[in-house]
Amino acid sequence: MCSGSWSEAAAGEDSRTVEGGSELCADATLLREDGLPPPRGDRAVGRGHTVPDHSQGVGMTGPVFPPWPATSPVRGRLRLRPVEMRDSAMARELSTDPYVSLTGSLPSCATECEAKAWVRRQQMRHPEGAGFSFAIAIRADDGAIGHCGLWLKELGEGRATAGYAIVPSRRNQGFASEALALLTEFAWTVPGLRRVALHIESWNVASLRTAENAGYVREGVLARHQMIGGEHRDMVLYAAIRQTGLAR
């Protein structure tokens, strides 16, 4: 029986999939197994598709899409690193939370094949220009305990959104707040970015607390803002504003 309860999560990962092979468990040749971003330049994805090199600013009218960080962001107990194939176990544990499948592309109660397909999708987020998809890892052993993302669809306007999730077995230990604070610190290294927003359902008290502990400020409620589980739901809006490199 696969079941669980959601906490310490603000928003799911960007749910876009790579066309033509996102669910092919055996097709690992499109992406590097070590979790590092693919080489720059157009590269094939699936059957006959290419992903433009956004890091060089192709097709962008605003800021140049930022490169992958040369050094992994670290803070306290945590490190943000690329999502790797070994993180499929973390993905499978996340999938036991029924809310995860409603807010992202990871299926509920994911099989190993589905978990690896999810890993491959996360590895493509940066080269396809969606943003940064990180595994949240313990610095002491580099083991993944969750996932977070900085999504840059509105980078040209100086805006980003963030999402985070901790596996059920490691919740209620302060990791979510620490990871969000670290992700926000990294966000301020992105040229032109001035605002990071979170969208959280009002019932998700643990995630509301996570946002506040990481320095985010509540700005209001967006009525029927986000489609979750087949219905438009109200979302509490939190934001951090770039000033001196800290949440306002």
Side-chain angles (χ1 to χ4, degrees):
M1 183 75 177
C2 179
S3 62
S5 59
W6 182 261
S7 65
E8 296 187 344
E13 49 92 10
D14 189 318
S15 60
R16 294 185 299 160
T17 60
V18 179
E19 184 178 356
S22 63
E23 299 296 341
L24 299 180
C25 187
D27 185 5
T29 61
L30 302 178
L31 296 159
R32 294 177 54 166
E33 292 288 338
D34 58 9
L36 295 175
R40 291 182 175 179
D42 287 4
R43 65 177 282 126
V45 178
R47 301 177 180 86
H49 297 275
T50 59
V51 173
D53 180 8
H54 292 278
S55 66
Q56 300 300 312
V58 175
M60 297 187 67
T61 58
V64 173
F65 196 79
W68 191 265
T71 303
S72 295
V74 295
R75 175 190 176 105
R77 300 172 291 176
L78 301 180
R79 171 187 177 218
L80 302 184
R81 59 163 174 78
V83 182
E84 303 173 1
M85 278 299 161
R86 60 184 168 127
D87 299 327
S88 62
M90 176 271 290
R92 294 190 70 179
E93 184 176 354
L94 275 181
S95 77
T96 64
D97 186 323
Y99 195 60
V100 170
S101 63
L102 299 179
T103 58
S105 68
L106 182 63
S108 179
C109 304
T111 64
E112 182 67 13
C113 175
E114 291 171 331
K116 288 181 176 179
W118 178 84
V119 167
R120 288 194 288 272
R121 289 194 292 275
Q122 302 321 304
Q123 291 175 332
M124 285 304 300
R125 298 308 186 205
H126 184 262
E128 73 183 3
F132 293 89
S133 179
F134 291 110
I136 302 169
I138 299 292
R139 290 178 69 182
D141 61 11
D142 206 36
I145 61 168
H147 172 262
C148 65
L150 182 70
W151 310 119
L152 301 175
K153 179 180 179 181
E154 298 181 308
L155 179 58
E157 301 295 328
R159 298 191 294 263
T161 58
Y164 47 89
I166 300 295
V167 295
S169 64
R170 304 305 295 267
R171 292 175 182 171
N172 303 311
Q173 299 175 52
F175 288 124
S177 296
E178 193 171 330
L180 179 57
L182 177 54
L183 182 66
T184 308
E185 286 181 3
F186 169 73
W188 302 147
T189 70
V190 175
L193 185 59
R194 57 181 173 79
R195 174 185 173 88
V196 180
L198 308 172
H199 301 98
I200 310 171
E201 291 199 74
S202 60
W203 60 263
N204 197 341
V205 176
S207 193
L208 298 174
R209 187 181 307 115
T210 291
E212 292 168 358
N213 288 343
Y216 281 69
V217 174
R218 179 170 174 153
E219 294 189 337
V221 176
L222 302 174
R224 300 197 173 190
H225 178 74
Q226 189 167 330
M227 179 70 76
I228 299 176
E231 61 179 323
H232 286 93
R233 302 189 186 182
D234 296 350
M235 306 299 290
V236 181
L237 175 63
Y238 278 81
I241 307 297
R242 185 175 194 160
Q243 293 181 349
T244 59
L246 300 174
R248 69 178 186 181

